[in-house]
Amino acid sequence: MAFGHFSDDEVHESADINVTPLVDVMLVLLIVFMITMPVLTHSIPLTLPTAANPAQQAEPTSPLRLSIGAEGQYKLGDQTLSLVQLQNDLHLKVQANPDVVLAIAADKHVAYDYVAQVLAAARDAGLVKVGFVTEDK
């Protein structure tokens, strides 16, 4: 390793690069990659469902659209219902078609209690497919 010396008539600079910080960074990166690689290659065993033959698959039905007004009015389709009537109607729809889908469109100012009551009524009726209708901005 060459070192420069100071003299009045000639100045020599050292042309060597200090590689110690580079080695430190590379060792830290090596340790990070050694720790994260087993996490990235770890997999969780899953048993995924298989798709049914399209010829055997039933036609999808349109979902039941339930609207909940700002004051808690329930409207299934075109008719306004009370909570008890709604639960009975949902129970009849599930008996007719177990794969029925309920789409809930709630006003953004409705109290959550009304939505929770509908979800409980849907669960009690046996509905397993429930979705929420939103609007895009």
Side-chain angles (χ1 to χ4, degrees):
M1 199 168 174
F3 293 101
H5 64 282
F6 294 108
S7 68
D8 293 338
D9 55 346
E10 190 176 322
V11 176
H12 292 281
E13 293 183 4
S14 174
D16 293 338
I17 297 173
N18 188 2
V19 295
T20 306
L22 178 65
V23 171
D24 289 344
V25 169
M26 294 307 288
L27 286 175
V28 168
L29 286 175
L30 178 67
I31 291 170
V32 167
F33 285 129
M34 286 174 53
I35 291 172
T36 58
M37 272 318 262
V39 174
L40 294 177
T41 59
H42 179 71
S43 63
I44 299 170
L46 295 177
T47 305
L48 297 174
T50 57
N53 188 355
Q56 296 173 349
Q57 198 170 13
E59 287 292 318
T61 59
S62 61
L64 295 173
R65 186 170 175 108
L66 174 69
S67 301
I68 305 174
E71 284 81 34
Q73 321 81 309
Y74 301 115
K75 193 171 185 181
L76 186 61
D78 292 333
Q79 57 185 178
T80 304
L81 303 169
S82 69
L83 185 62
V84 174
Q85 292 171 331
L86 176 65
Q87 188 170 6
N88 292 336
D89 200 13
L90 290 176
H91 189 66
L92 292 174
K93 301 273 188 193
V94 169
Q95 285 180 344
N97 181 9
D99 290 331
V100 69
V101 178
L102 178 65
I104 300 173
D107 189 272
K108 70 178 183 178
H109 299 293
V110 69
Y112 180 72
D113 186 44
Y114 295 112
V115 178
Q117 289 173 356
V118 168
L119 291 173
R123 181 193 62 221
D124 293 342
L127 267 165
V128 293
K129 296 179 181 178
V130 178
F132 290 95
V133 178
T134 60
E135 59 182 36
D136 294 329
K137 288 189 176 187

